[in-house]
Amino acid sequence: MEKEPAPAESLTALEATRQLNAKRLQRPKRYWTMLGLMLAVFALMPYMRNWPPILQYITPVILLLGIAAFAAWKQPTAVRKIRLSGGMKLTLIGFALLGGILGGLSNALYAEHGWRWLPATAAVTLFIFVRFGGRAMDRSWARRASRGEH
C-alpha cells in the first residue's frame, strides 16, 4: 500500500506546477517588442510627410511586415492558443488608444509648430510603455490562467 503524501507536500507540488504553468503561458518578450515597434512606426509617420506619396504608403507597410515576420518566428504553441479575456482586450484597446492619442498629438504639434523631437519622443514612449506594460499584463494573465480563473 502506497503512503499518501502529506497535505503540505501536495500543496507545495501544486504551487510549483502553477508557477511552471504561469511561466510557460507567458508570451515571449519579442511579442511585446513587436507590438511596441509597430506602434512606434505609426508615431514616426510625420517624418515621412515630405516623402513622395508612394513611399509614404509603402514604407510603413514594409516596416510592419518586417517587424511581424521577425517577431513571429518560432512562436510557442501555447502562445498561439491564448484567448483574449475581458481584461486583456481592455489593455490592448488601451495600448491602441494611447498610440492613437500620442501619435495624433505629436503629428499635430509637429505639423503646427515644427517640433521635430516630438514624434521620436512619442515613438520611444509608446515602445517603452507597451514593452513593459504588456509583460506586466502577461504575467498577471498567466497567474490567473494557472490558477484556473477566467
Side-chain angles (χ1 to χ4, degrees):
M1 181 165 90
E2 286 186 33
K3 179 180 155 189
E4 288 189 28
E9 291 173 2
S10 296
L11 289 175
T12 303
L14 180 62
E15 187 57 33
T17 302
R18 284 183 178 164
Q19 288 177 357
L20 179 63
N21 283 340
K23 191 174 189 177
R24 289 182 51 221
L25 287 172
Q26 290 184 42
R27 290 175 189 89
K29 291 178 184 178
R30 68 177 173 252
Y31 178 83
W32 295 110
T33 302
M34 173 191 71
L35 190 58
L37 286 172
M38 286 179 166
L39 287 175
V41 166
F42 287 113
L44 293 172
M45 287 179 72
Y47 292 138
M48 299 177 213
R49 180 171 287 142
N50 295 327
W51 292 8
I54 190 76
L55 285 178
Q56 288 181 20
Y57 295 112
I58 290 177
T59 303
V61 172
I62 290 171
L63 287 172
L64 293 175
L65 289 175
I67 291 167
F70 178 74
W73 176 65
K74 282 191 160 181
Q75 189 179 34
T77 306
V79 173
R80 284 183 250 139
K81 295 179 181 179
I82 292 174
R83 291 195 177 109
L84 292 177
S85 66
M88 290 174 71
K89 287 178 187 174
L90 289 176
T91 304
L92 290 175
I93 290 169
F95 286 156
L97 286 174
L98 178 68
I101 291 168
L102 274 178
L105 186 62
S106 71
N107 187 5
L109 290 172
Y110 174 76
E112 185 65 30
H113 299 290
W115 294 348
R116 297 194 56 81
W117 55 270
L118 197 53
T121 304
V124 170
T125 302
L126 280 171
F127 175 76
I128 289 171
F129 190 79
V130 170
R131 172 69 172 78
F132 294 105
R135 288 291 288 168
M137 183 198 69
D138 240 8
R139 285 190 298 274
S140 170
W141 174 83
R143 280 193 303 272
R144 281 195 325 244
S146 139
R147 291 184 183 118
E149 301 170 13
H150 297 290

